[in-house]
Coordinates of all heavy atoms in Angstrom, one line a residue:
G131 N 154.9 246.5 91.5 CA 153.6 246.3 90.9 C 153.7 246.2 89.4 O 152.6 246.1 88.7
E132 N 154.9 246.3 88.8 CA 155.0 246.2 87.4 C 154.6 244.9 86.9 O 154.8 243.8 87.5 CB 156.5 246.4 87.0 CG 156.7 246.8 85.5 CD 156.4 248.3 85.3 OE1 156.7 249.1 86.1 OE2 155.9 248.6 84.2
L133 N 153.9 244.9 85.7 CA 153.5 243.6 85.1 C 154.7 243.0 84.3 O 155.4 243.8 83.7 CB 152.3 243.8 84.2 CG 151.0 244.3 84.9 CD1 149.9 244.3 83.9 CD2 150.6 243.5 86.1
W134 N 154.8 241.7 84.3 CA 155.9 241.1 83.6 C 155.8 241.4 82.1 O 156.9 241.4 81.4 CB 155.8 239.6 83.8 CG 156.4 239.2 85.2 CD1 155.6 238.9 86.3 CD2 157.7 239.1 85.6 NE1 156.5 238.6 87.3 CE2 157.8 238.7 86.9 CE3 158.9 239.3 84.9 CZ2 158.9 238.5 87.6 CZ3 160.1 239.0 85.6 CH2 160.1 238.7 86.9
I135 N 154.7 241.6 81.5 CA 154.6 241.9 80.1 C 155.3 243.3 79.8 O 156.0 243.5 78.8 CB 153.1 242.0 79.6 CG1 153.1 242.3 78.1 CG2 152.3 243.0 80.4 CD1 153.7 241.2 77.2
D136 N 155.2 244.2 80.8 CA 155.9 245.5 80.7 C 157.4 245.4 80.9 O 158.2 246.1 80.3 CB 155.2 246.5 81.6 CG 153.8 246.8 81.2 OD1 153.4 246.8 80.0 OD2 152.9 246.9 82.1
V137 N 157.7 244.5 81.8 CA 159.2 244.2 82.0 C 159.8 243.7 80.7 O 160.9 244.1 80.3 CB 159.4 243.2 83.2 CG1 160.9 242.9 83.3 CG2 158.8 243.7 84.5
L138 N 159.1 242.8 80.1 CA 159.6 242.2 78.8 C 159.7 243.3 77.8 O 160.8 243.4 77.1 CB 158.6 241.1 78.3 CG 158.9 240.5 77.0 CD1 160.3 239.8 77.0 CD2 157.8 239.6 76.5
S139 N 158.7 244.1 77.6 CA 158.8 245.2 76.6 C 159.9 246.1 76.8 O 160.6 246.5 75.9 CB 157.4 245.9 76.6 OG 156.4 245.1 76.2
S140 N 160.2 246.4 78.1 CA 161.2 247.4 78.4 C 162.6 246.8 78.2 O 163.5 247.5 77.7 CB 161.1 247.8 79.9 OG 159.9 248.5 80.2
T141 N 162.8 245.5 78.5 CA 164.1 244.9 78.4 C 164.4 244.6 76.9 O 165.6 244.6 76.5 CB 164.3 243.7 79.3 OG1 163.2 242.7 78.9 CG2 164.2 244.1 80.7
L142 N 163.4 244.2 76.2 CA 163.6 243.9 74.8 C 164.2 245.0 73.9 O 164.9 244.8 72.9 CB 162.4 243.3 74.1 CG 161.9 241.9 74.4 CD1 160.6 241.5 73.8 CD2 163.0 240.9 74.1
K143 N 163.9 246.2 74.4 CA 164.5 247.4 73.7 C 166.0 247.4 73.7 O 166.7 248.0 72.9 CB 164.0 248.7 74.4 CG 162.5 248.9 74.2 CD 162.1 250.1 75.0 CE 160.5 250.3 75.0 NZ 160.1 251.4 75.8
Y144 N 166.6 246.6 74.7 CA 168.1 246.5 74.8 C 168.6 245.2 74.3 O 169.7 244.8 74.5 CB 168.5 246.7 76.3 CG 168.1 248.1 76.8 CD1 166.8 248.3 77.4 CD2 169.0 249.2 76.8 CE1 166.5 249.6 77.9 CE2 168.7 250.4 77.3 CZ 167.4 250.6 77.8 OH 167.1 251.8 78.3
G145 N 167.7 244.4 73.8 CA 168.0 243.0 73.3 C 168.2 242.1 74.5 O 168.9 241.0 74.3
L146 N 167.6 242.4 75.6 CA 167.7 241.5 76.8 C 166.3 241.1 77.3 O 165.3 241.7 76.9 CB 168.4 242.3 77.9 CG 169.8 242.9 77.6 CD1 170.3 243.8 78.7 CD2 170.8 241.8 77.4
A147 N 166.3 240.1 78.2 CA 165.1 239.6 78.8 C 165.3 238.9 80.0 O 166.4 238.3 80.2 CB 164.3 238.7 77.8
P148 N 164.4 238.8 81.0 CA 164.6 237.9 82.1 C 164.7 236.5 81.7 O 164.3 236.1 80.6 CB 163.3 238.2 82.9 CG 162.9 239.6 82.6 CD 163.2 239.7 81.1
K149 N 165.2 235.7 82.6 CA 165.5 234.3 82.2 C 164.3 233.3 82.5 O 164.2 232.4 81.8 CB 166.7 233.8 83.1 CG 168.0 234.6 82.9 CD 169.1 234.0 83.8 CE 170.4 234.8 83.6 NZ 171.5 234.3 84.5
S150 N 163.6 233.6 83.5 CA 162.5 232.7 84.0 C 161.2 233.4 84.0 O 161.1 234.6 84.3 CB 162.9 232.2 85.4 OG 162.0 231.1 85.8
W151 N 160.1 232.7 83.6 CA 158.9 233.3 83.3 C 157.7 232.6 84.0 O 157.9 231.5 84.5 CB 158.6 233.4 81.8 CG 159.6 234.3 81.1 CD1 160.7 233.9 80.4 CD2 159.5 235.7 81.0 NE1 161.3 235.0 79.9 CE2 160.6 236.1 80.3 CE3 158.6 236.7 81.5 CZ2 160.9 237.5 80.0 CZ3 158.8 238.0 81.2 CH2 160.0 238.4 80.4
T152 N 156.5 233.2 83.9 CA 155.3 232.5 84.1 C 154.6 232.3 82.8 O 154.9 233.1 81.8 CB 154.4 233.2 85.1 OG1 154.2 234.6 84.6 CG2 155.0 233.3 86.5
D153 N 153.7 231.4 82.7 CA 153.0 231.3 81.4 C 152.2 232.5 81.0 O 152.0 232.8 79.8 CB 152.1 230.0 81.4 CG 152.8 228.7 81.4 OD1 154.0 228.7 81.0 OD2 152.2 227.7 81.8
Y154 N 151.6 233.2 82.0 CA 150.8 234.4 81.7 C 151.6 235.6 82.2 O 152.1 235.6 83.4 CB 149.5 234.2 82.5 CG 148.5 235.3 82.4 CD1 148.0 235.7 81.1 CD2 148.0 236.0 83.5 CE1 147.0 236.7 81.0 CE2 147.1 237.0 83.4 CZ 146.6 237.3 82.2 OH 145.7 238.4 82.0
L155 N 151.7 236.6 81.4 CA 152.6 237.7 81.7 C 151.9 238.9 82.3 O 152.6 239.8 82.8 CB 153.4 238.2 80.5 CG 154.2 237.1 79.7 CD1 155.0 237.8 78.6 CD2 155.1 236.4 80.7
Y156 N 150.6 238.9 82.4 CA 149.9 240.0 83.0 C 149.7 239.8 84.5 O 148.6 239.8 85.1 CB 148.5 240.2 82.3 CG 148.7 240.8 80.9 CD1 149.2 240.0 79.9 CD2 148.5 242.1 80.6 CE1 149.4 240.5 78.6 CE2 148.7 242.7 79.4 CZ 149.2 241.8 78.4 OH 149.4 242.4 77.1
L157 N 150.8 239.5 85.1 CA 150.9 239.3 86.6 C 152.0 240.3 87.1 O 152.9 240.6 86.4 CB 151.4 237.9 86.9 CG 150.5 236.7 86.4 CD1 151.1 235.4 86.6 CD2 149.1 236.8 87.0
S158 N 151.8 240.7 88.4 CA 152.8 241.7 88.9 C 154.1 241.0 89.4 O 154.1 239.8 89.8 CB 152.2 242.4 90.1 OG 152.0 241.6 91.2
V159 N 155.2 241.7 89.3 CA 156.5 241.2 89.7 C 156.4 240.8 91.2 O 156.8 239.7 91.6 CB 157.6 242.2 89.5 CG1 158.9 241.8 90.2 CG2 157.8 242.4 88.0
G160 N 155.9 241.7 92.1 CA 155.8 241.4 93.5 C 154.9 240.2 93.8 O 155.2 239.4 94.7
G161 N 153.8 240.0 93.0 CA 152.9 238.9 93.2 C 153.6 237.5 92.9 O 153.5 236.6 93.7
T162 N 154.3 237.4 91.8 CA 154.9 236.1 91.4 C 156.1 235.8 92.3 O 156.3 234.7 92.7 CB 155.3 236.0 90.0 OG1 156.3 237.0 89.7 CG2 154.1 236.3 89.0
L163 N 156.8 236.9 92.7 CA 158.0 236.6 93.6 C 157.5 236.2 95.0 O 158.3 235.6 95.7 CB 158.9 237.8 93.7 CG 159.5 238.3 92.4 CD1 160.5 239.4 92.6 CD2 160.3 237.1 91.7
S164 N 156.3 236.6 95.4 CA 155.8 236.2 96.7 C 155.3 234.7 96.7 O 155.0 234.2 97.7 CB 154.6 237.1 97.1 OG 155.0 238.4 97.3
N165 N 155.3 234.1 95.5 CA 154.9 232.7 95.4 C 156.1 231.9 94.9 O 156.5 231.0 95.6 CB 153.7 232.6 94.5 CG 152.4 233.1 95.1 OD1 151.8 232.4 95.9 ND2 152.0 234.3 94.7
A166 N 156.6 232.1 93.7 CA 157.8 231.5 93.2 C 158.0 232.0 91.8 O 159.0 232.4 91.4 CB 157.7 230.0 93.2
G167 N 156.9 231.8 90.9 CA 157.0 232.2 89.5 C 157.6 231.1 88.7 O 158.8 231.0 88.6
I168 N 156.8 230.3 88.1 CA 157.3 229.1 87.3 C 156.7 229.0 86.0 O 155.6 229.4 85.7 CB 157.0 227.8 88.1 CG1 155.6 227.6 88.5 CG2 157.9 227.7 89.3 CD1 155.2 226.3 89.1

Side-chain angles (χ1 to χ4, degrees):
E132 199 78 35
L133 300 185
W134 283 99
I135 183 65
D136 297 322
V137 176
L138 176 63
S139 297
S140 297
T141 57
L142 282 179
K143 294 175 183 177
Y144 300 86
L146 303 173
K149 300 176 181 180
S150 191
W151 295 96
T152 52
D153 286 340
Y154 181 60
L155 301 188
Y156 288 74
L157 304 173
S158 70
V159 168
T162 65
L163 297 184
S164 295
N165 289 282
I168 54 176

